[in-house]
Amino acid sequence: MRKLTLLFLIFFLTFSFTQAQKPKTPASSEIFESIQKLNFLGSVLYIAAHPDDENTRLISYMSNHVKARTAYLSLTRGDGGQNLIGPEIRELLGVIRTQELLAARRVDGGEQLFTRANDFGYSKHPDETLEIWEKDEVLSDVVLAIREFQPDIIINRFDHRTPGTTHGHHTGSAMLSFEAFDLASDKSAFSEQLETTETWQPKRLFFNTNSWFYRSQEDFDKADKSNMLSFDIGVYYPLKGLSNNEIASIASSQHLCQGFGRLHQRGSQKEYIEFLKGNPVTDKSDVFSGIDTSWNRIKGGNAIGDILNAIEQNFNFNNPSIHIPELLKAYELLQNIQNEHWKIQKTKELKAIIEMCAGLYLEASAEAPSSTPNTSVKINIEALNRSNQNIVLESITQTDGKILDKHLVLENNDSEKFESTFHISENSDYTTPYWLEKKGTLGMYTVENKNLIGKPETPRSAVFNFNLKINNTPITISKPVVYRYSEPDKGELYRPFEIIPETSAKITEKVIIFDNGHEHTITLVVKAGHDNLKGAAEICHPENWKVYPEKQDVNIANKGEEQILTFTIIPPINQDEGYISPIIHIGDKTYTKELIEINYEHIPYQTVLLPSESKVVRLDIKKHGENIAYIAGAGDVVPESLEQIGYQVRVINPEDITRETLSRFDAVVVGIRAYNTIDNLKFKQQILFDFVKEGGNMIVQYNTNRGLKTDNLAPYSLSLSRDRVTDENAEVKILDPKHPLLNSPNKITQKDFEGWTQERGLYFPNKWDKAFTPILSMHDKDESDKEGSLLVAQYGKGYYIYTGLSFFREFPEGVSGAYRLFANMLSIGKDHLQPNQKLND
């Protein structure tokens, strides 16, 4: 049994991480569990703020043990987080985290919903959060989710009664949920929604509490639990060979970009929810007590329930197809019920079960992973019936309007294969996340198509509808077009079929810093979406900047190939900044977007179209020293940014840190969260401190105060805290105007702190040795001054600097003051060197 469980786990993880698009081929046990869920007419909506906020233990318990339809409403897509697996941040990180949520739901059995709220970064109070989010707009989205999903039970991840004690997004999500609980049933609230949906009153609202909210397990043990329900979420599922908390661990581990990969948990484990409002709970062992969750819940459901409950009681694991005749009877009865919500939901579930019981394999696979508008692509179609049921493929209707009449009997295990073409019309929408199609605000995405609000991803436009008769009952099963292929080292693989523009372009450098008046050559990469692409390229630029040549020819023979073009940018004499963007002319059309591809094994392949632009900054900057060693942490673009202003940067591995290696450098910069993520860095600390002692500079960027790999963070005592300043416009006070760090080689003034983005900084130290000098003071509204954002200490002949300032966010945005300040940090103590002179010259 243990060996079988291990094999199941290996398959489960392989499926989840490398075959995110592979069609499901469910075992009999999965079909049986689907029938159990079919016979439960109750639903749970879990609500929180971000991807990875969800309690996968409780979602899995409600979905797999209670058998309720369960969804997670994440108000944001997590754009404001950090990325531990790659360079994507902001919008692209939100795309990754969206897909990681969907991957988690594929594991724990839940569904995924969103609002239009944008994760603008850490917020200390819900008042700020709701102001930036445009409260009424996000509230309307929460109300819409409740009206469309129609949950009986809502569970909040956070406590609406404790503003200011945690992330403002967290508390804000609970406050919005608490308010929406009643508004969803009010016809006068967001009445425009009632054109496509209807009012709904959830039965109960809960708060998913635990010891964390009480600050200690001891305080939680003493708490009054008379208003709480508890569940053993460690329940074991013999049909899966896994316990609920093991499934939850696998689901949570899908959040790889946030470092959520974790060990599995097993055994009995209590979970608590506190009743907030709604119908009182009559039986504390049942969150649905007093709510009819049987087929009797809907008018005309009794007869359907009689059929489906009999199938559940007498399920044939060896031959599930034997139940298809009875399933079809239930399907036909279901089409006559008047409750549209349950009719739509249970029809979807029932069709999927019939498909599984018949072992139906229906696929439409394109010959290429993508195509462009006004083209046709060949589609390979496969239809396979693996049962003795009478199944006829009557026709296939394609979303391009084409109809394939077949009248083809699908014999048992006799695969039918044929070809079709799919025409992509000239005005087809490109495949890209719908919430990124239009520019939004700091706190909200712009979604013009109101029918898309709340959906986790853009619906696929290339779809084949297989019109079947199963024992003479008409049933249509829809399949989006996919691309199926193989690789020698991985075998069969799947990815979505994408509709892309005929061309896209990107400037390879997203921020181009001119630290003098010299011209700079940029590289423009033009990519062809189809064969024989011909046109012209130019660069749009600010009026006081110059670009030559003005235009260049584009001529690309094959789809997918790229043409490299170079343009020369001449900056103005004085300090200035602006944006440049490519314009590609193909016939009478112009293209200005970049096609970004996101490819990680644990999520489906993603294409994202974003405006292609680069920031150009003519910067008045001076620096001393030249060679920089960079120790990468959790991922940032600081090395590339330093190269932009003329430094020679070499990224070194911790194992390569030796006295001899470091002697070649003027300074060492440690990447963000390096001391949280690199185990063996702690063994190199003394070598790094000796480097400083001998005259080098060491700059350590922010780390979180939890999970540090060493207590020996600096050559002097230094204690990190959770202090942060989230207002990027917060006033910055200069504590020591005469300090060399603020005066050489660049004079740092208040102007250098203008235009910062997302935040000032995070995880500032709050205690330090008297050897450190605090340079800056700043604070958020109604808070005390925080002086730990930039600390400098001389150690021997060199300087150790710790900073929680968010350089990793400012550099990609081309914030000139951030570059000037960092140059001073690298240059401190090196005034004896001429600009660009090496320390060891």
Side-chain angles (χ1 to χ4, degrees):
M1 178 65 185
R2 191 172 179 181
K3 186 176 180 181
L4 286 173
T5 301
L6 179 61
L7 288 172
F8 181 87
L9 269 170
I10 293 171
F11 169 79
F12 199 98
L13 288 169
T14 301
F15 178 85
S16 298
F17 282 88
T18 64
Q19 298 292 331
Q21 287 295 293
K22 190 177 179 69
K24 292 184 68 174
T25 52
S28 292
S29 59
E30 294 175 79
I31 301 173
F32 176 68
E33 289 179 305
S34 296
I35 292 172
Q36 289 180 311
K37 294 191 75 170
L38 182 67
N39 282 329
F40 191 94
L41 277 69
S43 51
V44 177
L45 182 62
Y46 197 89
I47 298 179
H50 309 109
D52 73 40
D53 282 346
E54 83 274 26
N55 185 341
T56 54
R57 299 182 302 273
L58 197 50
I59 290 174
S60 178
Y61 180 88
M62 291 297 173
S63 176
N64 294 299
H65 181 73
V66 179
K67 305 301 181 185
R69 184 187 179 205
T70 307
Y72 173 42
L73 174 60
S74 176
L75 268 60
T76 77
R77 296 177 186 267
D79 309 62
Q82 284 84 49
N83 186 357
L84 299 186
I85 62 173
E88 298 88 356
I89 58 173
R90 292 304 305 154
E91 295 92 345
L92 297 180
L93 178 59
V95 173
I96 293 173
R97 298 187 74 182
T98 293
Q99 291 300 321
E100 288 182 338
L101 273 175
L102 290 169
R105 300 294 81 77
R106 286 192 289 270
V107 173
D108 61 32
E111 300 174 36
Q112 187 60 53
L113 304 171
F114 290 95
T115 74
R116 290 168 292 166
N118 190 351
D119 179 2
F120 56 84
Y122 190 87
S123 174
K124 292 182 177 178
H125 200 280
D127 289 351
E128 177 196 45
T129 297
L130 297 176
E131 180 180 353
I132 294 175
W133 273 355
E134 303 173 34
K135 179 193 171 185
D136 284 349
E137 292 298 304
V138 183
L139 179 59
S140 75
D141 290 358
V142 178
V143 169
L144 179 65
I146 294 171
R147 286 172 171 173
E148 291 185 337
F149 190 75
Q150 295 192 10
D152 298 302
I153 308 296
I154 295 179
I155 303 174
N156 290 343
R157 183 65 177 117
F158 299 103
D159 191 349
H160 69 286
R161 299 161 295 192
T162 56
T165 60
T166 183
H167 197 326
H169 296 186
H170 293 168
T171 312
S173 70
M175 293 169 68
L176 291 171
S177 173
F178 192 86
E179 188 172 351
F181 182 86
D182 296 318
L183 288 178
S185 63
D186 184 350
K187 290 183 178 180
S188 65
F190 311 111
S191 56
E192 70 282 357
Q193 295 177 0
L194 301 181
E195 296 177 7
T196 56
T197 187
E198 60 185 353
T199 58
W200 178 254
Q201 180 57 63
K203 308 301 186 297
R204 295 182 183 119
L205 176 66
F206 294 91
F207 159 48
N208 184 194
T209 188
N210 57 37
S211 59
W212 187 87
F213 293 97
Y214 284 76
R215 302 303 178 193
S216 73
Q217 184 63 50
E218 182 180 2
D219 288 345
F220 184 62
D221 291 341
K222 296 177 181 177
D224 179 9
K225 296 184 178 61
S226 60
N227 208 30
M228 297 183 191
L229 281 69
S230 66
F231 314 99
D232 183 358
I233 50 85
V235 61
Y236 179 69
Y237 303 128
L239 290 174
K240 297 180 183 293
L242 293 168
S243 62
N244 185 76
N245 38 18
E246 285 178 294
I247 293 172
S249 296
I250 298 170
S252 182
S253 292
Q254 306 301 306
H255 296 295
L256 293 183
C257 73
Q258 301 303 295
F260 268 55
R262 59 184 56 183
L263 290 171
H264 295 180
Q265 295 181 332
R266 303 169 186 84
S268 181
Q269 188 176 358
K270 281 290 183 74
E271 193 72 49
Y272 293 86
I273 58 174
E274 177 188 352
F275 176 76
L276 296 178
K277 63 178 173 178
N279 298 341
V281 180
T282 55
D283 179 359
K284 285 196 171 185
S285 66
D286 181 10
V287 69
F288 282 93
S289 62
I291 302 171
D292 190 351
T293 58
S294 72
W295 281 99
N296 295 330
R297 175 175 191 158
I298 57 176
K299 185 179 180 180
N302 309 45
I304 300 171
D306 289 343
I307 295 170
L308 296 178
N309 283 305
I311 293 173
E312 180 181 341
Q313 294 298 318
N314 301 286
F315 186 74
N316 189 321
F317 285 87
N318 292 321
N319 183 16
S321 67
I322 200 171
H323 300 296
I324 288 178
E326 291 299 298
L327 289 169
L328 290 170
K329 288 181 183 178
Y331 175 83
E332 291 176 333
L333 289 172
L334 184 57
Q335 305 319 299
N336 296 321
I337 70 168
Q338 296 179 354
N339 187 308
E340 283 298 310
H341 173 76
W342 285 115
K343 177 181 176 179
I344 291 171
Q345 178 58 30
K346 291 304 178 181
T347 294
K348 177 182 174 183
E349 294 179 30
L350 192 47
K351 282 168 66 172
I353 290 170
I354 292 170
E355 181 182 359
M356 290 188 286
C357 285
L360 273 172
Y361 188 89
L362 305 170
E363 180 181 272
S365 175
E367 65 176 345
S370 64
S371 193
T372 60
N374 202 29
T375 61
S376 294
V377 61
K378 187 176 81 172
I379 305 294
N380 295 309
I381 299 172
E382 181 175 2
L384 175 63
N385 166 29
R386 288 173 284 197
S387 74
N388 288 319
Q389 299 298 315
N390 177 24
I391 301 178
V392 178
L393 176 59
E394 292 289 350
S395 64
I396 298 174
T397 54
Q398 306 175 183
T399 48
D400 63 352
K402 187 175 183 178
I403 300 175
L404 303 177
D405 286 317
K406 292 312 241 182
H407 309 290
L408 183 65
V409 176
L410 300 181
E411 302 290 352
N412 186 359
N413 212 30
D414 187 3
S415 178
E416 298 287 349
K417 297 178 181 179
F418 44 93
E419 295 179 359
S420 181
T421 57
F422 186 86
H423 181 72
I424 303 167
S425 67
E426 189 173 3
N427 58 355
S428 291
D429 292 331
Y430 302 128
T431 304
T432 192
Y434 69 86
W435 62 94
L436 299 179
E437 289 182 358
K438 300 292 181 181
K439 186 175 179 62
T441 64
L442 175 63
M444 289 289 290
Y445 289 117
T446 297
V447 179
E448 291 186 341
N449 184 349
K450 303 304 181 185
N451 293 324
L452 294 177
I453 293 175
K455 293 187 182 300
E457 55 186 345
T458 307
R460 295 285 162 175
S461 57
V463 176
F464 277 43
N465 299 303
F466 292 79
N467 303 310
L468 306 166
K469 276 192 176 178
I470 304 177
N471 294 348
N472 290 318
T473 299
I475 287 183
T476 296
I477 297 175
S478 300
K479 298 292 180 181
V481 175
V482 297
Y483 174 59
R484 181 164 65 101
Y485 64 107
S486 67
E487 291 184 1
D489 59 337
K490 294 181 179 179
E492 183 180 69
L493 297 170
Y494 283 78
R495 56 177 276 189
F497 173 73
E498 317 274 40
I499 300 174
I500 61 174
E502 59 179 332
T503 188
S504 58
K506 66 177 179 180
I507 299 170
T508 54
E509 299 167 283
K510 291 303 177 187
V511 176
I512 306 165
I513 305 294
F514 296 78
D515 60 343
N516 52 47
H518 297 165
E519 62 186 33
H520 182 86
T521 299
I522 65 165
T523 300
L524 176 65
V525 180
V526 182
K527 188 171 185 178
H530 60 66
D531 294 342
N532 300 317
L533 184 77
K534 296 182 185 295
E538 62 177 317
I539 301 294
C540 179
H541 57 86
E543 186 176 352
N544 52 340
W545 295 66
K546 296 180 181 178
V547 176
Y548 68 87
E550 290 186 1
K551 278 190 177 183
Q552 296 191 56
D553 290 338
V554 172
N555 193 340
I556 306 176
N558 299 309
K559 173 183 176 180
E561 287 187 349
E562 296 176 339
Q563 182 178 352
I564 308 298
L565 302 173
T566 58
F567 290 84
T568 300
I569 310 291
I570 303 174
I573 296 174
N574 299 319
Q575 185 161 314
D576 192 30
E577 60 184 52
Y579 290 90
I580 60 173
S581 58
I583 302 176
I584 311 300
H585 301 272
I586 307 295
D588 59 354
K589 295 182 179 180
T590 58
Y591 298 88
T592 60
K593 291 192 174 182
E594 175 183 357
L595 182 67
I596 301 163
E597 298 169 327
I598 300 176
N599 190 11
Y600 293 101
E601 286 192 342
H602 68 300
I603 60 174
Y605 187 95
Q606 299 292 301
T607 58
V608 184
L609 280 169
L610 291 178
S612 181
E613 62 179 17
S614 295
K615 189 173 185 179
V616 288
V617 181
R618 168 65 173 95
L619 186 60
D620 180 15
I621 189 170
K622 301 179 181 68
K623 56 189 183 296
H624 296 303
E626 181 179 357
N627 286 341
I628 309 298
Y630 198 87
I631 302 169
D636 55 56
V637 295
V638 173
E640 297 90 332
S641 301
L642 295 178
E643 289 174 344
Q644 286 268 358
I645 56 174
Y647 285 104
Q648 301 295 318
V649 183
R650 177 185 166 192
V651 178
I652 61 174
N653 295 319
E655 54 267 27
D656 296 331
I657 296 174
T658 65
R659 294 177 188 273
E660 180 183 359
T661 301
L662 295 184
S663 67
R664 309 168 192 168
F665 299 102
D666 303 316
V668 173
V669 180
V670 183
I672 61 173
R673 296 178 65 178
Y675 290 101
N676 297 126
T677 58
I678 304 174
D679 286 310
N680 60 349
L681 190 55
K682 61 186 175 185
F683 302 121
K684 302 294 183 176
Q685 286 295 83
Q686 193 56 54
I687 297 174
L688 290 166
F689 296 159
D690 288 343
F691 165 76
V692 178
K693 198 172 187 178
E694 293 165 9
N697 287 346
M698 180 177 177
I699 299 173
V700 178
Q701 298 177 86
Y702 100 92
N703 292 268
T704 63
N705 62 342
R706 290 194 299 177
L708 284 170
K709 304 293 185 180
T710 178
D711 296 326
N712 191 28
L713 197 61
Y716 306 107
S717 63
L718 183 71
S719 178
L720 302 185
S721 72
R722 295 181 63 85
D723 288 350
R724 62 201 302 160
V725 176
T726 60
D727 181 0
E728 62 268 31
N729 298 310
E731 180 186 1
V732 176
K733 298 176 184 176
I734 295 176
L735 298 175
D736 188 356
K738 295 182 179 180
H739 196 282
L741 186 64
L742 298 171
N743 291 277
S744 178
N746 305 287
K747 178 66 175 178
I748 302 300
T749 68
Q750 291 291 340
K751 186 173 178 60
D752 289 296
F753 296 98
E754 295 176 2
W756 285 52
T757 182
Q758 187 159 330
E759 63 195 357
R760 288 295 189 195
L762 63 172
Y763 290 98
F764 298 160
N766 63 350
K767 296 178 182 178
W768 51 82
D769 189 272
K770 63 182 180 179
F772 283 105
T773 299
I775 303 298
L776 306 172
S777 174
M778 58 191 72
H779 64 86
D780 280 322
K781 182 180 178 181
D782 299 328
E783 290 193 356
S784 61
D785 286 339
K786 305 293 186 294
E787 297 185 352
S789 65
L790 181 57
L791 301 174
V792 185
Q794 187 166 5
Y795 183 67
K797 299 178 183 178
Y799 289 84
Y800 176 96
I801 299 173
Y802 188 93
T803 180
L805 293 172
S806 296
F807 291 102
F808 71 101
R809 294 198 190 280
E810 312 315 317
F811 285 170
E813 298 297 328
V815 178
S816 58
Y819 279 93
R820 285 163 46 83
L821 179 58
F822 210 94
N824 279 19
M825 291 159 58
L826 292 168
S827 301
I828 189 170
K830 298 179 171 51
D831 290 355
H832 61 286
L833 298 178
Q834 296 299 315
N836 299 327
Q837 183 183 351
K838 300 177 184 178
L839 179 66
N840 55 0
D841 280 354

